[in-house]
Amino acid sequence: MLASWVNRFGFCAFEAASAETALTQLETTPTDIALCDVNMPGHDGVWLAARIRERYPTTAVIMATSVDDADVAVATLSNDVVDYLLKPFDSTRLREALALGLDWHRASVGGEELHHALQSRIRTRRATVAATLARAQTSVQQAADSLISMLQLHEKDGRGHSTRVTRLALALADELGVT
């Protein structure tokens, strides 16, 4: 679907099944913009963004992430990620990110003044994404608390049981190395 949108916007999309495959494709077909997902098979999008920044400094990197990946998204700030697409996003938001990425790429191979102006736009965008992530995480926690409260209405020890199950599930996920 993303490749279809990208092509429809007049760009040429190349798809890769993993971060390693993407790097191999970049060796033969350099690109102006790389759209990475935080969650990828093999190495994650943060790893890929760092490699792209090292090897292809004029390639704009756009990261797609979900609210659950907020900590990982913050880690990509050091990789000069141009924009973040918070899932779910629509084609209009993708088009905005691609336009910013293309401007960033052009500035990185062109004028210093334009590059500084774009860096300012990117800082503003990052602040907006950080605020959105913070609100979304709060909303998720509030939704979970509401569900637990509703459960408590129907079951005498609903909150206690739910809390114990949550702790057990988190401990199991940690032990399995699952986020």
Side-chain angles (χ1 to χ4, degrees):
M1 180 178 75
L2 287 178
S4 172
W5 284 351
V6 168
N7 289 327
R8 193 174 71 214
F9 300 151
F11 294 89
C12 182
F14 296 96
E15 297 178 65
S18 68
E20 294 84 358
T21 303
L23 283 177
T24 302
Q25 286 180 336
L26 284 170
E27 289 173 15
T28 58
T29 311
T31 184
D32 298 345
I33 304 168
L35 175 58
C36 307
D37 196 315
V38 168
N39 292 313
M40 300 177 72
H43 292 290
D44 64 15
V46 176
W47 180 90
L48 178 58
R51 297 315 166 287
I52 290 171
R53 189 55 49 237
E54 289 169 7
R55 299 177 191 177
Y56 310 98
T58 62
T59 297
V61 177
I62 299 169
M63 189 68 65
T65 184
S66 68
V67 173
D68 297 338
D69 302 322
D71 295 335
V72 178
V74 170
T76 64
L77 291 174
S78 62
N79 294 327
D80 286 331
V81 170
V82 173
D83 203 353
Y84 296 90
L85 295 169
L86 297 176
K87 298 175 190 173
F89 55 89
D90 60 15
S91 64
T92 301
R93 180 68 192 96
L94 175 61
R95 177 180 269 168
E96 291 169 359
L98 292 172
L100 182 60
L102 189 57
D103 287 347
W104 187 93
H105 168 74
R106 287 177 177 156
S108 69
V109 296
E112 190 77 20
E113 192 174 304
L114 179 58
H115 187 69
H116 288 300
L118 281 170
Q119 288 297 84
S120 176
R121 279 177 56 197
I122 290 167
R123 278 192 296 277
T124 301
R125 179 69 191 132
R126 285 179 182 165
T128 302
V129 168
T132 302
L133 283 170
R135 280 193 309 274
Q137 286 178 325
T138 300
S139 297
V140 168
Q141 185 60 47
Q142 288 171 344
D145 288 343
S146 295
L147 287 172
I148 290 171
S149 294
M150 286 190 303
L151 178 63
Q152 191 176 15
L153 292 173
H154 299 287
E155 192 176 317
K156 183 178 180 181
D157 188 32
R159 181 175 287 278
H161 173 72
S162 180
T163 301
R164 289 188 299 277
V165 169
T166 300
R167 286 188 189 128
L168 179 62
L170 290 172
L172 182 60
D174 285 342
E175 190 67 31
L176 294 172
V178 177
T179 58

